[in-house]
Amino acid sequence: TKQNLEDEVGQCKAKLERADKLIGGLGGEAVRWTETVAKLKVDAVNVVGDVLVSAGTISYLGPFMQVYRTQIEEEWSINLKELDIPHTPGCNIKMTLMNPVLVRQWNIDGLPSDDFSISNGIIMDNSSRWPLMIDPQGQANRWVKNMEKANKLEITKLTDDTFMRTLENAISFGYPVLLENIQEELDPSMESVLAKATFKKAGVWMIKFGESEIEYSNDFRLYITTKLPNPHYLTEVATKVTLLNFMITVDGLQDQLLGRVVAKERPEVEEERQQLIVTSAANKKALKE
């Protein structure tokens, strides 16, 4: 009928209008997509040298301050050029492995936003060994507590009477553990935990802990911190953990002091800043998805 025909024409017009808006809206993305494709082609060639530098940083540079890390990375870059290994000029772990969405969440949880602290977070996130953080100012300690708060974080010390029981329960039930204020030696009972010496028994992952064998949950995470400013760990310890230097830097201190001053003088501005950080993190996460 005439009415049905008019309805169908109306629906087609509406679809055409929506399609026109969609095409117009995505038109600007064509430039970004073209640039992204070109960049990915270059990155696919340079990934060998870039990942080599990142792997070296994770394995060896954790205990050093930023100035020494930068110096060593520059030397590695010269070596890559001499050996004709393809790499991105000035490549570092932040350029290669940083996840902006994850880093923004770390900042919300209390990790300072300077390059040194972010590099520490990336090293910890990508290392296969448990982190041992040199943390005299306690900023790594606060960050871990905020980051793992929702996951039932267990906090303990080697001097606690319940230390062994706390660690055993966390390993079995998959809770994260923060081991605080260690000195220059670790408890020998942690040997298998640090080495992640797991094995399968009757189809279940197990680990030898102390004198007994207990079930091992893959959700278990261990964080170790020390307040010693310049500890000297034996090679046996250093090879079983990822040493990370969280000594506060000038940039990190400036960022934290600015936040304190603004929060004191203009609390509404600081509150707005924190809200913008959270909103920005949510937007980046949505864009990535």
Side-chain angles (χ1 to χ4, degrees):
T1 64
K2 184 179 179 181
Q3 184 61 44
N4 290 339
L5 186 61
E6 287 176 353
D7 291 342
E8 191 171 341
V9 169
Q11 291 175 4
C12 288
K13 283 183 177 179
K15 288 180 180 179
L16 283 171
E17 287 174 3
R18 289 198 296 269
D20 186 58
K21 288 179 181 178
L22 181 63
I23 292 169
L26 292 176
E29 290 291 283
V31 176
R32 186 174 71 87
W33 289 340
T34 303
E35 291 174 352
T36 301
V37 169
K39 183 178 182 299
L40 287 173
K41 286 180 179 178
V42 175
D43 290 345
V45 176
N46 292 337
V47 69
V48 178
D50 294 354
V51 170
L52 184 59
V53 170
S54 295
T57 302
I58 293 169
S59 299
Y60 302 112
L61 302 191
F64 297 106
M65 295 295 289
Q66 182 64 34
V67 61
Y68 298 117
R69 290 184 187 179
T70 303
Q71 182 181 336
I72 294 171
E73 284 170 353
E74 288 173 354
E75 291 178 5
W76 286 348
S77 186
I78 292 170
N79 292 336
L80 290 174
K81 196 171 183 179
E82 291 174 349
L83 296 169
D84 201 25
I85 297 174
H87 66 285
T88 303
C91 62
N92 55 47
I93 191 170
K94 190 176 175 184
M95 287 173 56
T96 307
L97 296 179
M98 186 175 82
N99 180 342
V101 176
L102 183 59
V103 169
R104 181 59 70 185
Q105 184 59 51
W106 290 343
N107 295 150
I108 293 171
D109 291 333
L111 181 71
S113 56
D114 59 286
D115 287 349
F116 180 63
S117 299
I118 291 173
S119 294
N120 281 336
I122 296 170
I123 291 172
M124 189 179 81
D125 189 53
N126 287 275
S127 176
S128 60
R129 294 173 290 186
W130 301 126
L132 195 167
M133 294 168 272
I134 301 166
D135 185 35
Q137 287 85 23
Q139 60 180 8
N141 205 287
R142 289 190 295 273
W143 169 49
V144 169
K145 286 178 180 177
N146 291 332
M147 181 173 62
E148 295 288 4
K149 185 178 180 181
N151 299 320
K152 300 180 181 179
L153 175 69
E154 297 280 357
I155 302 170
T156 186
K157 299 179 179 66
L158 286 176
T159 53
D160 290 348
D161 295 336
T162 58
F163 162 70
M164 292 289 286
R165 174 60 60 188
T166 299
L167 192 57
E168 182 178 337
N169 287 339
I171 292 171
S172 297
F173 295 108
Y175 299 145
V177 172
L178 173 59
L179 179 57
E180 298 180 314
N181 303 340
I182 67 158
Q183 299 302 306
E184 294 185 345
E185 293 183 3
L186 291 171
D187 194 304
S189 63
M190 297 180 63
E191 181 83 19
S192 59
V193 179
L194 294 178
K196 296 185 179 180
T198 57
F199 57 92
K200 262 193 175 181
K201 188 173 183 180
V204 178
W205 285 106
M206 307 287 288
I207 191 169
K208 186 172 176 61
F209 186 66
E211 296 299 321
S212 57
E213 295 177 353
I214 61 173
E215 189 173 337
Y216 185 88
S217 171
N218 288 325
D219 293 327
F220 168 70
R221 292 180 299 282
L222 176 64
Y223 305 93
I224 309 170
T225 61
T226 178
K227 286 187 174 180
L228 300 175
N230 190 25
H232 297 273
Y233 291 105
L234 296 174
T235 307
E236 289 78 7
V237 174
T239 55
K240 290 171 187 165
V241 297
T242 297
L243 278 172
L244 284 172
N245 193 337
F246 267 89
M247 286 276 287
I248 197 164
T249 63
V250 175
D251 289 341
L253 184 61
Q254 286 176 343
D255 184 65
Q256 292 178 52
L257 285 174
L258 178 61
R260 295 286 179 90
V261 172
V262 174
K264 181 74 175 176
E265 299 293 332
R266 298 286 300 279
E268 71 282 358
V269 175
E270 177 63 15
E271 185 179 347
E272 184 180 354
R273 172 179 171 271
Q274 292 296 335
Q275 187 58 46
L276 285 172
I277 289 174
V278 174
T279 304
S280 175
N283 290 340
K284 286 184 177 179
K285 184 178 181 181
L287 180 62
K288 184 177 178 64
E289 289 173 350

